[in-house]
Amino acid sequence: MITLYHGSNVAIDKIDLSKGLRDKDFGRGFYLTDIRLQAEEMARRRVRIAGFGEPVVTTFAFDDALLKDSNCLKVKIFPDKPCAEWAEFVYFNRHSSETGYSHLYDIVVGPVADDGVAFQLARYHEGIIDIDKLTQELTFRTLNRQYLFGTERAIAELKKI
């Protein structure tokens, strides 16, 4: 079992996937982290962006053995360091409202695309750099990990603590 955290400006009693925004790193869904401090920072950020509420961190237990059980959930796990496959996946998800891109994973695990990554993705989008240069620019970045739970099937495996 692992502990996962979700930072928000409101308490989460029931997860509603329809409230997830499009054009996020791994697509629409419910995002969590295994780093409590990261969730606390996200909660404060959500309060600033929304302009209301209080920072709230909701804690969940999850059986991480399910990440390796291909019979139960469709899971994509990226390395902790950015790579070309991760960069393209984030790029396509962040532009899904333009392209209609979506994936079929229940859970996606990988690095968070921070502002520095967003800058490089914008350069890639504008044709200033190619995928090889994008990957090279991201090689030495250390990014926190995030978990996307993108389906009801995946959400059912989260146990609120």
Side-chain angles (χ1 to χ4, degrees):
M1 292 295 263
I2 60 171
T3 302
L4 298 174
Y5 308 95
H6 177 82
S8 183
N9 62 320
V10 296
I12 304 294
D13 294 318
K14 183 178 184 314
I15 299 168
D16 182 352
L17 288 174
S18 70
K19 291 184 178 182
L21 301 175
R22 292 185 66 163
D23 298 339
K24 295 296 184 185
D25 291 356
F26 298 155
R28 179 177 282 177
F30 188 69
Y31 283 80
L32 303 110
T33 179
D34 54 0
I35 305 166
R36 183 170 180 87
L37 179 60
Q38 180 181 332
E40 290 169 356
E41 290 171 3
M42 179 53 73
R44 288 189 291 274
R45 182 173 182 222
R46 290 296 314 145
V47 169
R48 280 193 313 274
I49 291 169
F52 70 91
E54 297 293 326
V56 178
V57 173
T58 307
T59 306
F60 297 89
F62 174 69
D63 181 359
D64 55 331
L66 295 172
L67 296 175
K68 298 173 184 82
D69 182 0
S70 62
N71 294 323
C72 185
L73 297 168
K74 187 163 181 176
V75 177
K76 177 64 178 171
I77 301 176
F78 289 101
D80 287 339
K81 289 284 191 181
C83 63
E85 181 187 16
W86 170 83
E88 285 188 319
F89 190 79
V90 170
Y91 173 80
F92 287 124
N93 280 298
R94 284 191 167 200
H95 292 90
S96 65
S97 59
E98 298 168 25
T99 64
Y101 176 80
S102 67
H103 60 78
L104 300 175
Y105 296 108
D106 296 302
I107 299 174
V108 180
V109 181
V112 175
D114 64 10
D115 291 342
V117 172
F119 172 74
Q120 296 302 340
L121 288 171
R123 293 178 67 215
Y124 175 70
H125 181 70
E126 294 167 11
I128 296 170
I129 59 175
D130 63 14
I131 190 63
D132 293 329
K133 182 66 174 172
L134 173 62
T135 304
Q136 180 185 358
E137 293 292 329
L138 301 177
T139 299
F140 298 105
R141 296 192 66 83
T142 300
L143 302 170
N144 290 338
R145 186 175 31 249
Q146 62 186 337
Y147 294 71
L148 164 78
F149 282 65
T151 64
E152 292 296 337
R153 191 171 159 192
I155 295 297
E157 300 298 334
L158 289 171
K159 307 302 177 219
K160 189 174 176 182
I161 299 176

